[in-house]
Amino acid sequence: ERPPEDDELHGGLVVKPDRFFDTVFARIRQKNLLRRVQIHEQVSEAERSVFYRLATVLYFVTKYEGFGLPVLEAQAQSLPVVASTHGALPEISGRDAVLCDPDDPENILSALEMVLSDEQLRARMIEGGLRNVTRFNWSRTAKEIVDMYNHLFA
């Protein structure tokens, strides 16, 4: 499979407008990318599932993320992930995401180019991501919380 050409690349942003939104939107407009970048402030569960299935990669290079649930959602939908080295994302994504420094544009570009151009890498990331999500399930989480409380108050 050949890597996508620039005119074939399209992006979808699902964002809550915050203090960074105006700057990002201005840059998209400045680069004349409005026709190739769809911005959504809120999506339903069904829409999110469709986005994951149609995407080539989840770009989740953020500086301010808590748990990183979108990484697990994407991996569960067989979507490779490019994520940040910050916060809990390295631990949550396991060894099955390409991690990059959100403060290093060259590192981000390199990570995206690598994932977009290497079909075998994407296949390995999908397989590993599906294994990774099995580490997280509600039953195990509930049991671990109950065990922790039993230990603390025993």
Side-chain angles (χ1 to χ4, degrees), residues 10 26 34 46-47 60 63 65 71 103 108 131 136 139:
H10 289 75
L34 287 174
E47 290 169 321
F60 203 67
K63 293 182 185 183
E65 180 57 35
V71 169
D103 294 313
I108 294 169
R131 272 193 315 272
F136 303 89
S139 297

Side-chain angles (χ1 to χ4, degrees), residues 77-97:
Q77 294 277 341
S78 298
L79 183 62
V81 173
V82 173
S84 174
T85 56
H86 286 200
L89 294 175
E91 181 181 350
I92 296 306
S93 61
R95 296 184 311 264
D96 304 300

Side-chain angles (χ1 to χ4, degrees), residues 5-140:
E5 297 299 324
D6 286 346
D7 61 349
E8 295 175 347
L9 290 174
H10 289 75
L13 296 174
V14 178
V15 297
K16 291 180 184 173
D18 59 12
R19 66 180 192 258
F20 304 109
F21 182 77
D22 290 338
T23 305
V24 171
F25 186 74
R27 183 65 59 94
I28 290 169
R29 187 176 38 239
Q30 173 191 16
K31 298 283 186 182
N32 198 27
L33 296 173
L34 287 174
R35 65 179 175 76
R36 295 188 23 213
V37 177
Q38 294 179 1
I39 300 172
H40 304 272
E41 290 184 29
Q42 196 170 14
V43 295
S44 69
E45 290 294 321
E47 290 169 321
R48 184 178 333 182
S49 183
V50 169
F51 286 152
Y52 284 141
R53 276 186 268 133
L54 294 177
T56 304
V57 63
L58 173 69
Y59 171 80
F60 203 67
V61 181
T62 177
K63 293 182 185 183
Y64 309 104
E65 180 57 35
F67 180 76
L69 191 56
V71 169
L72 294 176
E73 291 174 337
Q75 288 178 327
Q77 294 277 341
S78 298
L79 183 62
V81 173
V82 173
S84 174
T85 56
H86 286 200
L89 294 175
E91 181 181 350
I92 296 306
S93 61
R95 296 184 311 264
D96 304 300
V98 173
L99 301 177
C100 53
D101 181 349
D103 294 313
D104 185 346
E106 290 299 319
N107 185 232
I108 294 169
L109 182 59
S110 175
L112 285 170
E113 286 177 338
M114 180 174 58
V115 173
L116 289 171
S117 66
D118 189 338
E119 185 177 348
Q120 291 179 344
L121 172 62
R122 287 194 310 274
R124 286 191 307 271
M125 292 173 73
I126 289 168
E127 184 179 316
L130 289 170
R131 272 193 315 272
N132 183 54
V133 297
T134 64
R135 296 187 305 137
F136 303 89
N137 69 55
W138 290 116
S139 297
R140 182 181 305 143

